Amino acid sequence: MGLFLHILLFPGGEQSACEAALRQAADLQELDIHLDQCRWHGFPKGPAALLNDGCCGYESLAEELSGTAPGPVMVLYMYDGDYWGYLFYQNGAALDQFSSLPDYFGEGSPPDCPGNAELLAKLFGVPADSIAPYVRPWREEAMGGFARQGDQFEIGDCWQLADFLEALGFSYDQLCPPELELERDLTPDEEAAPIMQVQTVQPIQEAPRQQETAPIDSTEVLPNALTSQTYALSRAEEVLDIAPEAVELVRSMDCEHAIPLLTAAIQANPDRAGLYVLRSFCWNQLEGRMSGLSRKPDMDRDMTRLLELEPDNVMALRARCPTAGTTSRYRRHIQDLTRLMDLDPEYQDVYQVSLAYRRHWVGDDVGARADLQAVLDRGGPWSVDLVYLCGELGLPGF
């Protein structure tokens, strides 16, 4: 499962009244809202709330909230890490809606139409031309570009939502601050596991026939910038001069208290790559044990920033290719894995099998078969993933 995110914006609203509206909506069990896991922040444009993981609603949530809230309500969402959109309601009626990826569920669902920039500009008190570039559905020819100069996230990246928030006068980073409360244990669904695996199975005379489900593979994974304590501590030395207290906390594995200090250091020194290594490592150590929302998006953003500073960082490239990807990320995974094959040839077979999976998942089975054949032609030992995907795609002999 990919990332599902719900953010509520109440332009011009008073926070206590908006919180009361959310409390009333939370009485509806089908919305699955847990108030103790929601995060509020007051902005000059109005209050905002980041809802708990697993909540749902979309139209029903927007309708319910706007029926009791003192003004308009925007339900801004990310769907499965594939696209983002919003529903804008007032007094239980729709004012506007937008989806960055129309026809996702079939023709007309969501509808292929732009959002109403003039309406948003009026109600949020911002220039319409600062909003309009974001509320245009994604087109293939625009992918990889930016809606506006200075944006962090490209067209086609669901995290364009964060740039849109900034344009409205809000901030995802302020809404989702780094203070953590350790309350619950890591659950299997919340674990982040990289795809690249190093142990292999021995070659066999005849490969197994295609199976309906992938075999379980208990092999170890290649270390990466999120998982390797050794790597994190090696990078800590280079930022000791600007974040000594944070470095000491990371060394003692007190990641909860290190994160706010690292965040402050990053704000003061945004071009110091080692800070992003340490913060993302700490996020990963605490993932699933904090109350509220997952920090996987923050890890991804830290890895992206790290790669902007260090494009050839193998440990960061490995970290950006997790097993639990979504279709909007597969194109980037393909680029990262292709780069890894050049930078880290010792594990070329591992990367190329992972690359074949990404091509398969985006529908490029011709490319996936070519990748698998290249691995077979090199004659290395067979991994479980290689055998399974060869059978899945019907390579000769499998």
Side-chain angles (χ1 to χ4, degrees):
M1 179 181 290
L3 177 65
F4 293 83
L5 192 73
H6 288 80
I7 295 174
L8 307 180
L9 304 181
F10 299 88
E14 196 278 319
Q15 185 159 327
S16 62
C18 297
E19 289 181 358
L22 183 60
R23 283 196 298 272
Q24 184 168 328
D27 290 336
L28 298 177
Q29 292 186 352
E30 61 267 25
L31 296 179
D32 201 18
I33 294 172
H34 299 277
L35 295 173
D36 61 333
Q37 295 178 21
C38 299
R39 299 171 185 265
W40 286 87
H41 188 85
F43 295 91
K45 300 289 184 182
L50 183 63
L51 301 188
N52 58 279
D53 284 344
C55 73
C56 57
Y58 302 101
E59 288 90 346
S60 56
L61 174 59
E63 183 177 1
E64 178 69 22
L65 279 171
S66 68
T68 55
V73 178
M74 176 178 282
V75 177
L76 184 62
Y77 64 86
M78 188 183 298
Y79 187 86
D80 203 17
D82 284 348
Y83 70 93
W84 68 275
Y86 63 77
L87 298 148
F88 203 22
Y89 274 60
Q90 187 170 14
N91 297 325
L95 300 177
D96 187 29
Q97 66 175 335
F98 169 72
S99 167
S100 65
L101 194 61
D103 304 328
Y104 183 87
F105 300 102
E107 186 173 357
S109 179
D112 187 357
C113 61
N116 190 333
E118 295 292 338
L119 175 66
L120 297 182
K122 178 180 178 180
L123 292 177
F124 282 92
V126 295
D129 59 3
S130 70
I131 299 299
Y134 300 105
V135 296
R136 298 169 184 159
W138 292 337
R139 303 300 181 209
E140 188 64 36
E141 61 272 15
M143 295 292 192
F146 292 92
R148 296 178 65 209
Q149 186 176 5
D151 280 356
Q152 285 187 276
F153 303 99
E154 299 175 347
I155 296 170
D157 187 332
C158 59
W159 275 104
Q160 189 187 45
L161 171 150
D163 291 324
F164 176 65
L165 268 175
E166 293 285 346
L168 290 177
F170 296 80
S171 168
Y172 177 80
D173 288 334
Q174 288 182 284
L175 185 57
C176 194
E179 293 80 8
L180 305 177
E181 300 174 15
L182 304 182
E183 290 186 357
R184 53 191 177 84
D185 294 330
L186 186 67
T187 63
D189 288 341
E190 295 169 327
E191 292 177 349
I195 187 70
M196 281 71 75
Q197 299 179 333
V198 297
Q199 294 186 11
T200 57
V201 297
Q202 294 299 315
I204 52 180
Q205 295 300 314
E206 183 177 353
R209 296 295 179 185
Q210 180 174 337
Q211 303 176 46
E212 293 183 359
T213 58
I216 297 173
D217 190 353
S218 60
T219 57
E220 296 180 1
V221 298
L222 295 177
N224 64 58
L226 295 176
T227 61
S228 174
Q229 182 181 9
T230 300
Y231 179 69
L233 294 179
S234 71
R235 297 300 301 264
E237 299 299 324
E238 67 193 56
V239 296
L240 189 58
D241 60 322
I242 55 174
E245 186 177 352
V247 167
E248 288 305 315
L249 289 171
V250 175
R251 286 172 175 167
S252 64
M253 292 301 290
D254 186 355
C255 293
E256 177 190 7
H257 294 103
I259 287 174
L261 299 180
L262 290 167
T263 298
I266 285 171
Q267 292 171 347
N269 306 274
D271 295 330
R272 296 292 289 271
L275 294 171
Y276 297 96
V277 174
L278 294 184
R279 186 170 69 173
S280 59
F281 172 76
C282 287
W283 286 135
N284 193 51
Q285 292 299 305
L286 298 175
E287 179 69 8
R289 295 190 290 126
M290 58 187 176
S291 66
L293 298 150
S294 169
R295 290 294 180 164
K296 292 175 185 176
D298 300 272
M299 295 180 229
D300 186 85
R301 294 170 73 187
D302 277 351
M303 289 297 97
T304 296
R305 179 57 180 149
L306 177 58
L307 285 165
E308 290 173 359
L309 298 170
E310 299 177 351
D312 294 341
N313 186 317
V314 168
M315 297 290 277
L317 286 166
R318 288 177 180 174
R320 284 214 314 180
C321 292
T323 298
T326 56
T327 51
S328 66
R329 298 291 186 193
Y330 293 152
R331 281 189 297 249
R332 191 185 71 182
H333 290 182
I334 289 170
Q335 294 174 348
D336 288 352
L337 289 162
T338 301
R339 185 68 181 137
L340 280 165
M341 288 172 62
D342 292 333
L343 293 172
D344 193 23
E346 180 180 357
Y347 297 105
Q348 185 178 20
D349 286 354
V350 176
Y351 299 136
Q352 197 156 12
V353 171
S354 295
L355 182 59
Y357 269 95
R358 274 29 179 223
R359 295 198 200 279
H360 175 50
W361 292 335
V362 300
D364 181 14
D365 284 352
V366 173
R369 290 187 184 96
D371 283 323
L372 295 173
Q373 191 61 56
V375 174
L376 294 172
D377 290 345
R378 285 196 290 269
W382 292 348
S383 68
V384 172
D385 283 339
L386 173 62
V387 170
Y388 172 73
L389 193 54
C390 284
E392 178 78 12
L393 294 178
L395 268 69
F398 288 84

